[in-house]
Amino acid sequence: MKKQIFFILALPFIFQFCFCQNASRQENLMQLENGINLHNLAENEADLNAKKDYIIEGKRILKPLSREIPLAKAYYGSLITIESSYFYRQGRLIKSLECLNTGTALIDEAVKSDSENTDIRFLRIGNSYDLSRSSPKNRMKQMQEDIDFLENRHSTLSPLEESWLELYKGLFYIESNNTNAARSAFWQCINAAPGSLPAEKAQIKLKEIF
């Protein structure tokens, strides 16, 4: 299941990390948005040549921002894990594993440096789920950690964020062979934000497990 990146809802939060003039802050925000868009394009692109172009440009934009902005570091790390899948499809297995280790380490560093940032937590949840299903890395521990974090801040989440959280809880429970808990989470996902993208995905999953 491809991640649907929706974490730029709180992008103005990054301003506190940009110790520069207002014009430069705005430029950093625009660059971060561009980097996130390239990340998403790379993730969903099937053509390997186009995917590589998105990865190269996304890394060029996100790498310098990642030195000051944890959210940029998280996306930079996630982009490198996408690059890992690119190398895997090329048969370059050692390079793929190197990118996998580098990318996940950067995401974990971003969480550690800004542990209260829900956008980073949501990004790591999706990344952890995908990697646990499609790579040698088992990231279910990190997925559980971020689910627990967001659960503890449930009252602060928007309906859409709550819906995404319940979707990922359901996916986590499926991987943990807890079908009843998964079914309950998917229904809560739908009820939290009816008609939303996570609700649509939850409905598909409900049909699969019934």
Side-chain angles (χ1 to χ4, degrees):
M1 173 183 150
K2 291 183 181 297
K3 299 191 294 298
Q4 300 295 327
I5 305 302
F6 63 97
F7 313 110
I8 61 174
L9 296 173
L11 274 178
F13 177 74
I14 69 166
F15 283 164
Q16 64 181 290
F17 299 103
C18 304
F19 303 108
C20 45
Q21 298 301 315
N22 287 339
S24 295
R25 291 184 190 176
Q26 186 63 28
E27 177 63 24
N28 281 343
L29 177 59
M30 293 174 62
Q31 286 289 86
L32 179 53
E33 288 181 301
N34 288 337
I36 291 173
N37 287 334
L38 287 163
H39 168 283
N40 298 345
L41 288 168
E43 181 179 44
N44 294 299
E45 179 58 62
D47 180 79
L48 282 183
N49 290 327
K51 181 184 285 286
K52 183 60 176 177
D53 290 341
Y54 291 138
I55 291 170
I56 290 172
E57 183 63 10
K59 288 174 64 178
R60 183 190 69 80
I61 291 173
L62 290 171
K63 184 176 181 178
L65 295 175
S66 70
R67 300 187 185 106
E68 291 185 343
I69 305 169
L71 184 60
K73 178 179 281 191
Y75 271 99
Y76 180 53
S78 181
L79 188 56
I80 292 175
T81 67
I82 296 170
E83 187 175 34
S84 171
S85 70
Y86 165 82
F87 285 126
Y88 180 82
R89 290 172 62 185
Q90 284 196 323
R92 299 174 61 182
L93 302 185
I94 294 177
K95 185 65 175 177
S96 175
L97 185 58
E98 289 176 355
C99 288
L100 193 60
N101 291 333
T102 299
T104 52
L106 286 168
I107 297 171
D108 291 344
E109 287 175 15
V111 171
K112 184 177 294 186
S113 63
D114 192 8
S115 62
E116 297 295 314
N117 190 316
T118 57
D119 292 344
I120 295 176
R121 295 283 189 166
F122 270 116
L123 177 61
R124 189 168 72 162
I125 286 177
N127 185 273
S128 297
Y129 174 74
D130 285 348
L131 293 183
S132 296
R133 288 176 54 84
S134 64
S135 81
K137 273 214 180 276
N138 186 328
R139 299 277 290 174
M140 299 304 289
K141 178 181 177 181
Q142 287 77 14
M143 189 176 183
Q144 176 73 77
E145 178 185 322
D146 295 327
I147 287 173
D148 290 344
F149 169 87
L150 292 167
E151 279 277 84
N152 290 333
R153 289 154 182 78
H154 194 274
S155 62
T156 69
L157 301 180
S158 69
L160 181 58
E161 289 171 328
E162 180 183 351
S163 185
W164 278 107
L165 174 58
E166 294 299 332
L167 174 66
Y168 279 120
K169 282 170 59 179
L171 296 173
F172 178 86
Y173 288 136
I174 287 178
E175 295 302 308
S176 304
N177 296 314
N178 191 340
T179 305
N180 288 334
R183 187 179 292 113
S184 175
F186 289 141
W187 278 118
Q188 290 184 61
C189 168
I190 294 168
N191 292 332
S196 66
L197 182 58
E200 292 176 6
K201 292 183 177 295
Q203 289 175 329
I204 293 171
K205 287 297 178 179
L206 281 170
K207 292 178 181 178
E208 292 177 358
I209 62 178
F210 266 113

